[in-house]
Amino acid sequence: MRLVSFGEKGHERVGVAVDGDILDLVTADVSLPDSVVGILEQDAFDAVARAVESGRGTRISEEGVRLGAPITRPSKIVCVGLNYHDHAAEQNVSLPEHPLLFSKASSSVIGPYDEVVLPEACKQVDYEVELALVIGCQATRVTEADAYDYIAGYTVANDVTGRDIQFRQRQWHQGKSYDTFCPVGPYLVTKDEIPDPNTLDVRLMLNGETMQDSNTDNLIFNVPTMISRISHAMTLFPGDIILTGTPAGVGIFRDPKILLKAGDYMETYVAGIGTLKNNVK
Ligand code: ZN
C-alpha cells in the first residue's frame, strides 16, 4: 500500500495511490483518520484496505494534485551520518563503531516535488539521497530481531545540507535544518511491499547526470541495527522518520566540488519506493 498526503501545503489530506490516481480516503470512509500519522497511531491499515477495496470515494489523477510529504510534520527526524562504506571511503575516514546520530528540524520537510530554496546564509548547499524509515508504533529499546515490527514502511528523502554551516559548527543541526532542506516522499510504501530494505538501489541525478549510485547493501549499520540502536537512545513515535545515511558521490567531496545553484533539478530515487523531483530556487 502506498499512502500519501495530498493538497495545498499545510492543508494536506490523506490518500492512497491506486493505479495512477489518489483515492481521497476520508471520502471512502469518514471514520478513517485524516492523516497518515493518524493511520499509524490507530493501526488502521485493515480499515484503509477495506476502503480501497470498496470502490467508494473520490479519485483524483496523481498528476493533477500536489503531494505533500507522507508525514508532513514528524515529531522528530533522526539521521545517521557516515553510514555507507563508499561514503566513508570518499572522505578517507575510518568506519564508525557506533551510529553517528544527528537530527533535522521537522520544519525542513517539504513535499516530493516542492522547490528547495537556497538560503542566503548558505554558500555550499549539497544533496544526499537516503532511504527513509517511517516508524509505525512507539519503540523503546527494541531488539534487532523485533525491529521490523516497529517500522510502518519506507519512503525517500533528500538530506539537503548547508556544508559551510555544517563544517563551521561542531553540531550539524543548523546546516541540516533550513526550511525546504528535507524533501520526503512521494509515498509511504508499507513494509509488506519491500521484502528486504537492505538491498535497494539508491540514486541521485542532478540535471540529468548521475551523482550518487549505490545500494543499501553498502550500509554500515543496516535497518534492524539502526532501529535497535536508535530506540535504545530515545523513544520513537509513530510517524518519526529515520534517514539512514547517504552513499558516495555528494558534491562537496568531488573534485571540482559540485554545489547546488538556482535552476538545478534533482531526481532522488530509491528502487521500489519512488523518486523525488525538486527544482532548486
Ligand atoms: Zn544524510
Side-chain angles (χ1 to χ4, degrees):
M1 187 185 296
R2 296 178 166 239
L3 294 169
V4 298
S5 301
F6 71 97
E8 225 176 287
K9 196 173 171 71
H11 302 279
E12 289 90 347
R13 302 162 63 87
V14 59
V16 180
V18 188
D19 304 328
D21 288 340
I22 302 295
L23 169 64
D24 185 341
L25 260 185
V26 178
T27 64
D29 179 351
V30 287
S31 70
L32 284 171
D34 63 359
S35 68
V36 175
V37 172
I39 289 170
L40 305 183
E41 287 171 340
Q42 296 183 27
D43 192 16
F45 288 101
D46 290 346
V48 171
R50 284 196 297 274
V52 174
E53 279 161 29
S54 73
R56 286 193 298 268
T58 309
R59 289 188 184 212
I60 310 151
S61 163
E62 200 174 322
E63 258 104 73
V65 69
R66 173 188 173 269
L67 294 187
I71 311 293
T72 51
R73 206 54 78 227
S75 85
K76 55 186 170 295
I77 305 170
V78 183
C79 309
V80 184
L82 209 65
N83 197 27
Y84 275 79
H85 288 278
D86 52 0
H87 184 48
E90 75 178 341
Q91 300 174 59
N92 245 324
V93 294
S94 49
L95 301 183
E97 278 178 56
H98 306 282
L100 172 64
L101 304 183
F102 64 91
S103 77
K104 281 174 96 72
S106 60
S107 46
S108 64
V109 170
I110 58 171
Y113 314 127
D114 290 347
E115 279 181 332
V116 170
V117 180
L118 301 176
E120 231 164 84
C122 299
K123 304 304 177 203
Q124 295 185 320
V125 180
D126 206 348
Y127 50 78
E128 295 188 351
V129 55
E130 311 217 2
L131 167 68
L133 318 178
V134 180
I135 297 298
C137 52
Q138 191 168 323
T140 307
R141 292 188 294 279
V142 170
T143 63
E144 289 187 23
D146 291 340
Y148 287 107
D149 295 345
Y150 296 85
I151 295 175
Y154 308 97
T155 189
V156 184
N158 185 345
D159 179 14
V160 179
T161 303
R163 296 291 183 204
D164 47 341
I165 311 295
Q166 179 189 13
F167 293 150
R168 88 171 183 220
Q169 302 191 344
R170 293 172 71 184
Q171 301 282 332
W172 295 1
H173 191 59
Q174 182 181 338
K176 295 280 189 178
S177 291
Y178 284 89
D179 288 356
T180 76
F181 272 23
C182 196
V184 177
Y187 318 106
L188 191 178
V189 179
T190 50
K191 63 183 169 189
D192 54 293
E193 290 197 18
I194 307 292
D196 185 2
N198 302 292
T199 57
L200 303 176
D201 285 337
V202 295
R203 191 153 58 235
L204 189 137
M205 316 258 285
L206 180 63
N207 304 322
E209 202 181 316
T210 301
M211 295 286 133
Q212 297 183 280
D213 189 5
S214 189
N215 187 288
T216 55
D217 64 7
N218 256 312
L219 284 167
I220 297 167
F221 301 103
N222 71 10
V223 168
T225 304
M226 279 186 269
I227 296 285
S228 177
R229 301 288 277 275
I230 296 168
S231 73
H232 277 77
M234 63 195 84
T235 292
L236 297 167
F237 296 107
D240 280 357
I241 297 178
I242 296 174
L243 267 54
T244 57
T246 203
V250 296
I252 195 76
F253 297 123
R254 288 172 170 269
D255 185 16
K257 296 183 196 332
I258 294 177
L259 300 163
L260 296 179
K261 56 187 189 312
D264 281 347
Y265 175 61
M266 298 183 284
E267 294 160 278
T268 310
Y269 163 86
V270 179
I273 299 179
T275 306
L276 309 170
K277 299 174 182 177
N278 305 98
N279 285 305
V280 178
K281 195 169 109 174

